[in-house]
Amino acid sequence: AQSVTQLDSQVPVFEEAPVELRCNYSSSVSVYLFWYVQYPNQGLQLLLKYLSGSTLVKGINGFEAEFNKSQTSFHLRKPSVHISDTAEYFCAVAYYGGSQGNLIFGKGTKLSVKP
Amino acid sequence: GAVVSQHPSWVICKSGTSVKIECRSLDFQATTMFWYRQFPKQSLMLMATSNEGSKATYEQGVEKDKFLINHASLTLSTLTVTSAHPEDSSFYICSAWQGQETQYFGPGTRLLVL
C-alpha cells in the first residue's frame, strides 16, 4: 500500500534559524508531491508542489522542497523561519490513475517557532 | 483563483439532529470533490469521493447512510451528517479537483455535537 511518512511529529526551532521538515513516500510509479500548511482552526493551504521538471521547487512564504526520486523523499526547507510559520505541515502524494486524484497525507509535522 | 468555500465554518448541534455542510468551488468547476475528516492533532482522513451527477464513493469504514453526500453541480457538494452523535464531532474539510494535479481545500467546518 502506498504511504507517506513524516519522520518528525514536532519540530521546535528558534526564530531566524533554518528548518527542514522531512517527508518520505513509498511508490514504484510516478507521483505528484505536495506540501500543505494548516494554521490553527483553518483548512489547508498549498505551499508548493512537484509535478515534473526541476527537482527543486519553490513555494510561498520562502519555503522550498527538493524531490529526490532515488530516496523517495520530498523534504521541505526554509533558510530562516519566522514566528508566523508556526503551524502544522502536511506532506501529500497523489497517485493519479483513471479519473480520480486521491491524495495520501502524512501524519503532519507541527512546527513551533520560538522567539 | 481556485478558491473553495465551506459553510458553515462551525456548527453546534444536539445529538440526534442532522447537519448539512456545503462545499463550493467559487471560481472554477470541480470534476470531483473530496470530503475529509480530521481529528484533533491528526492528519486528514479521506471519507468519500464525490463526482458531479453520480453517487459518492466511500472509503472503507465510512457509513454511507450516516454521511450523505450530494454533488448536484460542478460547483457544489454537500455533506449531511445524519442523526449526529458526539463521536461525530470533528473538523470536516472538503477539497475540489478539476481533473488536473492539484486539490484545492476549503477552510473546514468544525462540528460539535452535544
Side-chain angles (χ1 to χ4, degrees), chain B residues 61-92:
Chain B
V62 178
E63 299 176 60
K64 63 177 70 175
D65 294 330
K66 182 166 190 62
F67 298 100
L68 300 179
I69 292 173
N70 185 307
H71 194 156
S73 75
L74 286 171
T75 59
L76 173 64
S77 176
T78 60
L79 167 68
T80 302
V81 184
T82 61
S83 186
H85 293 285
E87 58 266 29
D88 298 323
S89 298
S90 191
F91 193 51
Y92 293 88

PDB file of all heavy atoms in Angstrom, chain B residues 61-92:
ATOM      1  N   GLY B  61     -15.040   1.721   5.984  1.00  0.00           N
ATOM      2  CA  GLY B  61     -15.302   2.113   7.363  1.00  0.00           C
ATOM      3  C   GLY B  61     -16.158   3.353   7.507  1.00  0.00           C
ATOM      4  O   GLY B  61     -16.552   3.705   8.625  1.00  0.00           O
ATOM      5  N   VAL B  62     -16.459   4.029   6.425  1.00  0.00           N
ATOM      6  CA  VAL B  62     -17.304   5.230   6.479  1.00  0.00           C
ATOM      7  C   VAL B  62     -18.737   4.833   6.139  1.00  0.00           C
ATOM      8  O   VAL B  62     -18.997   4.229   5.097  1.00  0.00           O
ATOM      9  CB  VAL B  62     -16.818   6.301   5.486  1.00  0.00           C
ATOM     10  CG1 VAL B  62     -17.741   7.516   5.519  1.00  0.00           C
ATOM     11  CG2 VAL B  62     -15.392   6.707   5.813  1.00  0.00           C
ATOM     12  N   GLU B  63     -19.668   5.150   7.045  1.00  0.00           N
ATOM     13  CA  GLU B  63     -21.060   4.758   6.850  1.00  0.00           C
ATOM     14  C   GLU B  63     -21.733   5.679   5.843  1.00  0.00           C
ATOM     15  O   GLU B  63     -21.976   6.854   6.118  1.00  0.00           O
ATOM     16  CB  GLU B  63     -21.795   4.839   8.187  1.00  0.00           C
ATOM     17  CG  GLU B  63     -21.241   3.916   9.259  1.00  0.00           C
ATOM     18  CD  GLU B  63     -21.981   4.142  10.571  1.00  0.00           C
ATOM     19  OE1 GLU B  63     -23.217   3.950  10.588  1.00  0.00           O
ATOM     20  OE2 GLU B  63     -21.338   4.517  11.569  1.00  0.00           O
ATOM     21  N   LYS B  64     -22.102   5.143   4.718  1.00  0.00           N
ATOM     22  CA  LYS B  64     -22.721   5.952   3.670  1.00  0.00           C
ATOM     23  C   LYS B  64     -24.096   6.461   4.075  1.00  0.00           C
ATOM     24  O   LYS B  64     -24.546   7.515   3.603  1.00  0.00           O
ATOM     25  CB  LYS B  64     -22.793   5.176   2.370  1.00  0.00           C
ATOM     26  CG  LYS B  64     -23.643   3.931   2.411  1.00  0.00           C
ATOM     27  CD  LYS B  64     -23.716   3.252   1.044  1.00  0.00           C
ATOM     28  CE  LYS B  64     -22.398   2.628   0.672  1.00  0.00           C
ATOM     29  NZ  LYS B  64     -22.466   1.869  -0.603  1.00  0.00           N
ATOM     30  N   ASP B  65     -24.789   5.731   4.931  1.00  0.00           N
ATOM     31  CA  ASP B  65     -26.120   6.179   5.354  1.00  0.00           C
ATOM     32  C   ASP B  65     -26.042   7.261   6.413  1.00  0.00           C
ATOM     33  O   ASP B  65     -27.023   7.969   6.661  1.00  0.00           O
ATOM     34  CB  ASP B  65     -26.927   4.993   5.892  1.00  0.00           C
ATOM     35  CG  ASP B  65     -27.230   3.980   4.805  1.00  0.00           C
ATOM     36  OD1 ASP B  65     -27.352   4.407   3.635  1.00  0.00           O
ATOM     37  OD2 ASP B  65     -27.330   2.781   5.113  1.00  0.00           O
ATOM     38  N   LYS B  66     -24.914   7.375   7.033  1.00  0.00           N
ATOM     39  CA  LYS B  66     -24.748   8.393   8.052  1.00  0.00           C
ATOM     40  C   LYS B  66     -24.186   9.682   7.449  1.00  0.00           C
ATOM     41  O   LYS B  66     -24.555  10.770   7.839  1.00  0.00           O
ATOM     42  CB  LYS B  66     -23.802   7.907   9.144  1.00  0.00           C
ATOM     43  CG  LYS B  66     -23.635   8.917  10.256  1.00  0.00           C
ATOM     44  CD  LYS B  66     -22.986   8.296  11.456  1.00  0.00           C
ATOM     45  CE  LYS B  66     -23.049   9.258  12.615  1.00  0.00           C
ATOM     46  NZ  LYS B  66     -24.420   9.581  13.006  1.00  0.00           N
ATOM     47  N   PHE B  67     -23.302   9.535   6.516  1.00  0.00           N
ATOM     48  CA  PHE B  67     -22.675  10.680   5.878  1.00  0.00           C
ATOM     49  C   PHE B  67     -23.150  10.737   4.426  1.00  0.00           C
ATOM     50  O   PHE B  67     -22.562  10.122   3.535  1.00  0.00           O
ATOM     51  CB  PHE B  67     -21.142  10.565   5.961  1.00  0.00           C
ATOM     52  CG  PHE B  67     -20.603  10.555   7.353  1.00  0.00           C
ATOM     53  CD1 PHE B  67     -20.242   9.357   7.967  1.00  0.00           C
ATOM     54  CD2 PHE B  67     -20.463  11.732   8.065  1.00  0.00           C
ATOM     55  CE1 PHE B  67     -19.743   9.338   9.265  1.00  0.00           C
ATOM     56  CE2 PHE B  67     -19.959  11.735   9.361  1.00  0.00           C
ATOM     57  CZ  PHE B  67     -19.605  10.531   9.961  1.00  0.00           C
ATOM     58  N   LEU B  68     -24.221  11.486   4.229  1.00  0.00           N
ATOM     59  CA  LEU B  68     -24.825  11.566   2.905  1.00  0.00           C
ATOM     60  C   LEU B  68     -24.153  12.662   2.088  1.00  0.00           C
ATOM     61  O   LEU B  68     -24.030  13.798   2.545  1.00  0.00           O
ATOM     62  CB  LEU B  68     -26.327  11.864   3.032  1.00  0.00           C
ATOM     63  CG  LEU B  68     -27.154  10.839   3.795  1.00  0.00           C
ATOM     64  CD1 LEU B  68     -28.610  11.272   3.858  1.00  0.00           C
ATOM     65  CD2 LEU B  68     -27.045   9.456   3.159  1.00  0.00           C
ATOM     66  N   ILE B  69     -23.747  12.308   0.901  1.00  0.00           N
ATOM     67  CA  ILE B  69     -23.064  13.270   0.042  1.00  0.00           C
ATOM     68  C   ILE B  69     -23.860  13.465  -1.230  1.00  0.00           C
ATOM     69  O   ILE B  69     -24.262  12.500  -1.886  1.00  0.00           O
ATOM     70  CB  ILE B  69     -21.634  12.799  -0.280  1.00  0.00           C
ATOM     71  CG1 ILE B  69     -20.789  12.842   0.996  1.00  0.00           C
ATOM     72  CG2 ILE B  69     -21.007  13.657  -1.380  1.00  0.00           C
ATOM     73  CD1 ILE B  69     -19.417  12.244   0.836  1.00  0.00           C
ATOM     74  N   ASN B  70     -24.061  14.736  -1.567  1.00  0.00           N
ATOM     75  CA  ASN B  70     -24.760  15.094  -2.793  1.00  0.00           C
ATOM     76  C   ASN B  70     -23.883  16.056  -3.575  1.00  0.00           C
ATOM     77  O   ASN B  70     -23.418  17.058  -3.053  1.00  0.00           O
ATOM     78  CB  ASN B  70     -26.106  15.747  -2.457  1.00  0.00           C
ATOM     79  CG  ASN B  70     -26.923  16.024  -3.696  1.00  0.00           C
ATOM     80  OD1 ASN B  70     -26.456  16.654  -4.642  1.00  0.00           O
ATOM     81  ND2 ASN B  70     -28.142  15.552  -3.714  1.00  0.00           N
ATOM     82  N   HIS B  71     -23.638  15.731  -4.826  1.00  0.00           N
ATOM     83  CA  HIS B  71     -22.805  16.595  -5.679  1.00  0.00           C
ATOM     84  C   HIS B  71     -23.677  17.020  -6.854  1.00  0.00           C
ATOM     85  O   HIS B  71     -23.597  16.459  -7.940  1.00  0.00           O
ATOM     86  CB  HIS B  71     -21.588  15.803  -6.135  1.00  0.00           C
ATOM     87  CG  HIS B  71     -20.504  16.637  -6.713  1.00  0.00           C
ATOM     88  ND1 HIS B  71     -19.194  16.234  -6.736  1.00  0.00           N
ATOM     89  CD2 HIS B  71     -20.520  17.865  -7.283  1.00  0.00           C
ATOM     90  CE1 HIS B  71     -18.455  17.160  -7.303  1.00  0.00           C
ATOM     91  NE2 HIS B  71     -19.241  18.158  -7.646  1.00  0.00           N
ATOM     92  N   ALA B  72     -24.523  18.008  -6.604  1.00  0.00           N
ATOM     93  CA  ALA B  72     -25.579  18.364  -7.542  1.00  0.00           C
ATOM     94  C   ALA B  72     -25.080  19.146  -8.754  1.00  0.00           C
ATOM     95  O   ALA B  72     -25.710  19.126  -9.811  1.00  0.00           O
ATOM     96  CB  ALA B  72     -26.643  19.176  -6.815  1.00  0.00           C
ATOM     97  N   SER B  73     -23.966  19.833  -8.602  1.00  0.00           N
ATOM     98  CA  SER B  73     -23.461  20.626  -9.712  1.00  0.00           C
ATOM     99  C   SER B  73     -21.942  20.613  -9.675  1.00  0.00           C
ATOM    100  O   SER B  73     -21.329  20.090  -8.739  1.00  0.00           O
ATOM    101  CB  SER B  73     -23.963  22.067  -9.612  1.00  0.00           C
ATOM    102  OG  SER B  73     -23.263  22.779  -8.604  1.00  0.00           O
ATOM    103  N   LEU B  74     -21.335  21.201 -10.679  1.00  0.00           N
ATOM    104  CA  LEU B  74     -19.872  21.213 -10.760  1.00  0.00           C
ATOM    105  C   LEU B  74     -19.235  22.197  -9.786  1.00  0.00           C
ATOM    106  O   LEU B  74     -18.016  22.294  -9.722  1.00  0.00           O
ATOM    107  CB  LEU B  74     -19.432  21.534 -12.189  1.00  0.00           C
ATOM    108  CG  LEU B  74     -19.609  20.403 -13.200  1.00  0.00           C
ATOM    109  CD1 LEU B  74     -19.339  20.905 -14.606  1.00  0.00           C
ATOM    110  CD2 LEU B  74     -18.703  19.227 -12.878  1.00  0.00           C
ATOM    111  N   THR B  75     -20.065  22.924  -9.049  1.00  0.00           N
ATOM    112  CA  THR B  75     -19.507  23.871  -8.091  1.00  0.00           C
ATOM    113  C   THR B  75     -20.017  23.657  -6.669  1.00  0.00           C
ATOM    114  O   THR B  75     -19.652  24.404  -5.767  1.00  0.00           O
ATOM    115  CB  THR B  75     -19.828  25.325  -8.503  1.00  0.00           C
ATOM    116  OG1 THR B  75     -21.245  25.484  -8.564  1.00  0.00           O
ATOM    117  CG2 THR B  75     -19.206  25.672  -9.846  1.00  0.00           C
ATOM    118  N   LEU B  76     -20.825  22.639  -6.445  1.00  0.00           N
ATOM    119  CA  LEU B  76     -21.405  22.451  -5.113  1.00  0.00           C
ATOM    120  C   LEU B  76     -21.505  20.984  -4.746  1.00  0.00           C
ATOM    121  O   LEU B  76     -22.041  20.166  -5.489  1.00  0.00           O
ATOM    122  CB  LEU B  76     -22.795  23.080  -5.048  1.00  0.00           C
ATOM    123  CG  LEU B  76     -23.595  22.822  -3.767  1.00  0.00           C
ATOM    124  CD1 LEU B  76     -22.907  23.454  -2.564  1.00  0.00           C
ATOM    125  CD2 LEU B  76     -25.022  23.349  -3.916  1.00  0.00           C
ATOM    126  N   SER B  77     -20.988  20.676  -3.570  1.00  0.00           N
ATOM    127  CA  SER B  77     -21.179  19.360  -2.976  1.00  0.00           C
ATOM    128  C   SER B  77     -21.601  19.574  -1.532  1.00  0.00           C
ATOM    129  O   SER B  77     -21.146  20.512  -0.880  1.00  0.00           O
ATOM    130  CB  SER B  77     -19.882  18.540  -3.011  1.00  0.00           C
ATOM    131  OG  SER B  77     -20.038  17.295  -2.356  1.00  0.00           O
ATOM    132  N   THR B  78     -22.492  18.726  -1.051  1.00  0.00           N
ATOM    133  CA  THR B  78     -22.936  18.836   0.340  1.00  0.00           C
ATOM    134  C   THR B  78     -22.702  17.525   1.073  1.00  0.00           C
ATOM    135  O   THR B  78     -22.837  16.434   0.493  1.00  0.00           O
ATOM    136  CB  THR B  78     -24.427  19.205   0.434  1.00  0.00           C
ATOM    137  OG1 THR B  78     -25.202  18.198  -0.207  1.00  0.00           O
ATOM    138  CG2 THR B  78     -24.697  20.545  -0.205  1.00  0.00           C
ATOM    139  N   LEU B  79     -22.352  17.662   2.331  1.00  0.00           N
ATOM    140  CA  LEU B  79     -22.191  16.523   3.229  1.00  0.00           C
ATOM    141  C   LEU B  79     -23.209  16.690   4.342  1.00  0.00           C
ATOM    142  O   LEU B  79     -23.221  17.718   5.020  1.00  0.00           O
ATOM    143  CB  LEU B  79     -20.777  16.489   3.815  1.00  0.00           C
ATOM    144  CG  LEU B  79     -20.542  15.538   4.990  1.00  0.00           C
ATOM    145  CD1 LEU B  79     -20.652  14.090   4.543  1.00  0.00           C
ATOM    146  CD2 LEU B  79     -19.178  15.787   5.629  1.00  0.00           C
ATOM    147  N   THR B  80     -24.092  15.719   4.498  1.00  0.00           N
ATOM    148  CA  THR B  80     -25.072  15.754   5.578  1.00  0.00           C
ATOM    149  C   THR B  80     -24.741  14.670   6.583  1.00  0.00           C
ATOM    150  O   THR B  80     -24.680  13.491   6.223  1.00  0.00           O
ATOM    151  CB  THR B  80     -26.499  15.551   5.046  1.00  0.00           C
ATOM    152  OG1 THR B  80     -26.795  16.567   4.085  1.00  0.00           O
ATOM    153  CG2 THR B  80     -27.514  15.624   6.185  1.00  0.00           C
ATOM    154  N   VAL B  81     -24.505  15.093   7.804  1.00  0.00           N
ATOM    155  CA  VAL B  81     -24.282  14.149   8.894  1.00  0.00           C
ATOM    156  C   VAL B  81     -25.641  13.877   9.515  1.00  0.00           C
ATOM    157  O   VAL B  81     -26.243  14.766  10.131  1.00  0.00           O
ATOM    158  CB  VAL B  81     -23.309  14.724   9.940  1.00  0.00           C
ATOM    159  CG1 VAL B  81     -23.018  13.682  11.026  1.00  0.00           C
ATOM    160  CG2 VAL B  81     -22.012  15.185   9.279  1.00  0.00           C
ATOM    161  N   THR B  82     -26.149  12.689   9.311  1.00  0.00           N
ATOM    162  CA  THR B  82     -27.498  12.372   9.787  1.00  0.00           C
ATOM    163  C   THR B  82     -27.455  11.816  11.200  1.00  0.00           C
ATOM    164  O   THR B  82     -26.526  11.079  11.563  1.00  0.00           O
ATOM    165  CB  THR B  82     -28.164  11.347   8.870  1.00  0.00           C
ATOM    166  OG1 THR B  82     -27.398  10.137   8.881  1.00  0.00           O
ATOM    167  CG2 THR B  82     -28.249  11.858   7.436  1.00  0.00           C
ATOM    168  N   SER B  83     -28.443  12.199  11.993  1.00  0.00           N
ATOM    169  CA  SER B  83     -28.546  11.738  13.377  1.00  0.00           C
ATOM    170  C   SER B  83     -27.177  11.800  14.057  1.00  0.00           C
ATOM    171  O   SER B  83     -26.618  10.785  14.482  1.00  0.00           O
ATOM    172  CB  SER B  83     -29.094  10.314  13.415  1.00  0.00           C
ATOM    173  OG  SER B  83     -29.328   9.908  14.749  1.00  0.00           O
ATOM    174  N   ALA B  84     -26.675  13.010  14.125  1.00  0.00           N
ATOM    175  CA  ALA B  84     -25.318  13.199  14.640  1.00  0.00           C
ATOM    176  C   ALA B  84     -25.213  12.818  16.110  1.00  0.00           C
ATOM    177  O   ALA B  84     -26.150  13.019  16.896  1.00  0.00           O
ATOM    178  CB  ALA B  84     -24.899  14.644  14.441  1.00  0.00           C
ATOM    179  N   HIS B  85     -24.071  12.266  16.462  1.00  0.00           N
ATOM    180  CA  HIS B  85     -23.775  11.897  17.846  1.00  0.00           C
ATOM    181  C   HIS B  85     -22.447  12.528  18.249  1.00  0.00           C
ATOM    182  O   HIS B  85     -21.668  12.940  17.387  1.00  0.00           O
ATOM    183  CB  HIS B  85     -23.737  10.379  17.991  1.00  0.00           C
ATOM    184  CG  HIS B  85     -25.068   9.733  17.801  1.00  0.00           C
ATOM    185  ND1 HIS B  85     -26.065   9.780  18.769  1.00  0.00           N
ATOM    186  CD2 HIS B  85     -25.594   9.053  16.758  1.00  0.00           C
ATOM    187  CE1 HIS B  85     -27.134   9.150  18.326  1.00  0.00           C
ATOM    188  NE2 HIS B  85     -26.881   8.695  17.110  1.00  0.00           N
ATOM    189  N   PRO B  86     -22.182  12.597  19.535  1.00  0.00           N
ATOM    190  CA  PRO B  86     -20.940  13.249  19.977  1.00  0.00           C
ATOM    191  C   PRO B  86     -19.670  12.713  19.308  1.00  0.00           C
ATOM    192  O   PRO B  86     -18.742  13.480  19.041  1.00  0.00           O
ATOM    193  CB  PRO B  86     -20.938  12.981  21.481  1.00  0.00           C
ATOM    194  CG  PRO B  86     -22.393  12.940  21.839  1.00  0.00           C
ATOM    195  CD  PRO B  86     -23.053  12.258  20.666  1.00  0.00           C
ATOM    196  N   GLU B  87     -19.652  11.437  18.982  1.00  0.00           N
ATOM    197  CA  GLU B  87     -18.458  10.883  18.329  1.00  0.00           C
ATOM    198  C   GLU B  87     -18.276  11.389  16.898  1.00  0.00           C
ATOM    199  O   GLU B  87     -17.218  11.169  16.285  1.00  0.00           O
ATOM    200  CB  GLU B  87     -18.487   9.353  18.341  1.00  0.00           C
ATOM    201  CG  GLU B  87     -19.695   8.741  17.662  1.00  0.00           C
ATOM    202  CD  GLU B  87     -20.830   8.426  18.626  1.00  0.00           C
ATOM    203  OE1 GLU B  87     -20.948   9.142  19.666  1.00  0.00           O
ATOM    204  OE2 GLU B  87     -21.596   7.478  18.336  1.00  0.00           O
ATOM    205  N   ASP B  88     -19.302  12.048  16.358  1.00  0.00           N
ATOM    206  CA  ASP B  88     -19.179  12.641  15.017  1.00  0.00           C
ATOM    207  C   ASP B  88     -18.530  14.016  15.072  1.00  0.00           C
ATOM    208  O   ASP B  88     -18.238  14.609  14.022  1.00  0.00           O
ATOM    209  CB  ASP B  88     -20.552  12.752  14.351  1.00  0.00           C
ATOM    210  CG  ASP B  88     -21.210  11.398  14.159  1.00  0.00           C
ATOM    211  OD1 ASP B  88     -20.488  10.421  13.861  1.00  0.00           O
ATOM    212  OD2 ASP B  88     -22.452  11.304  14.318  1.00  0.00           O
ATOM    213  N   SER B  89     -18.343  14.522  16.265  1.00  0.00           N
ATOM    214  CA  SER B  89     -17.679  15.829  16.408  1.00  0.00           C
ATOM    215  C   SER B  89     -16.288  15.747  15.808  1.00  0.00           C
ATOM    216  O   SER B  89     -15.505  14.854  16.138  1.00  0.00           O
ATOM    217  CB  SER B  89     -17.589  16.208  17.892  1.00  0.00           C
ATOM    218  OG  SER B  89     -18.871  16.332  18.458  1.00  0.00           O
ATOM    219  N   SER B  90     -16.008  16.674  14.924  1.00  0.00           N
ATOM    220  CA  SER B  90     -14.735  16.634  14.222  1.00  0.00           C
ATOM    221  C   SER B  90     -14.598  17.876  13.359  1.00  0.00           C
ATOM    222  O   SER B  90     -15.460  18.745  13.359  1.00  0.00           O
ATOM    223  CB  SER B  90     -14.667  15.372  13.347  1.00  0.00           C
ATOM    224  OG  SER B  90     -13.365  15.168  12.845  1.00  0.00           O
ATOM    225  N   PHE B  91     -13.497  17.938  12.645  1.00  0.00           N
ATOM    226  CA  PHE B  91     -13.251  19.012  11.687  1.00  0.00           C
ATOM    227  C   PHE B  91     -13.401  18.385  10.302  1.00  0.00           C
ATOM    228  O   PHE B  91     -12.682  17.442   9.969  1.00  0.00           O
ATOM    229  CB  PHE B  91     -11.840  19.569  11.906  1.00  0.00           C
ATOM    230  CG  PHE B  91     -11.548  20.858  11.204  1.00  0.00           C
ATOM    231  CD1 PHE B  91     -12.414  21.938  11.320  1.00  0.00           C
ATOM    232  CD2 PHE B  91     -10.392  21.015  10.456  1.00  0.00           C
ATOM    233  CE1 PHE B  91     -12.132  23.153  10.687  1.00  0.00           C
ATOM    234  CE2 PHE B  91     -10.107  22.220   9.819  1.00  0.00           C
ATOM    235  CZ  PHE B  91     -10.973  23.287   9.939  1.00  0.00           C
ATOM    236  N   TYR B  92     -14.344  18.881   9.526  1.00  0.00           N
ATOM    237  CA  TYR B  92     -14.614  18.325   8.210  1.00  0.00           C
ATOM    238  C   TYR B  92     -14.096  19.293   7.150  1.00  0.00           C
ATOM    239  O   TYR B  92     -14.413  20.480   7.167  1.00  0.00           O
ATOM    240  CB  TYR B  92     -16.114  18.082   8.024  1.00  0.00           C
ATOM    241  CG  TYR B  92     -16.646  17.004   8.925  1.00  0.00           C
ATOM    242  CD1 TYR B  92     -17.096  17.299  10.212  1.00  0.00           C
ATOM    243  CD2 TYR B  92     -16.676  15.672   8.517  1.00  0.00           C
ATOM    244  CE1 TYR B  92     -17.566  16.307  11.059  1.00  0.00           C
ATOM    245  CE2 TYR B  92     -17.150  14.668   9.355  1.00  0.00           C
ATOM    246  CZ  TYR B  92     -17.580  14.997  10.623  1.00  0.00           C
ATOM    247  OH  TYR B  92     -18.041  14.006  11.455  1.00  0.00           O
TER     248      TYR B  92
END
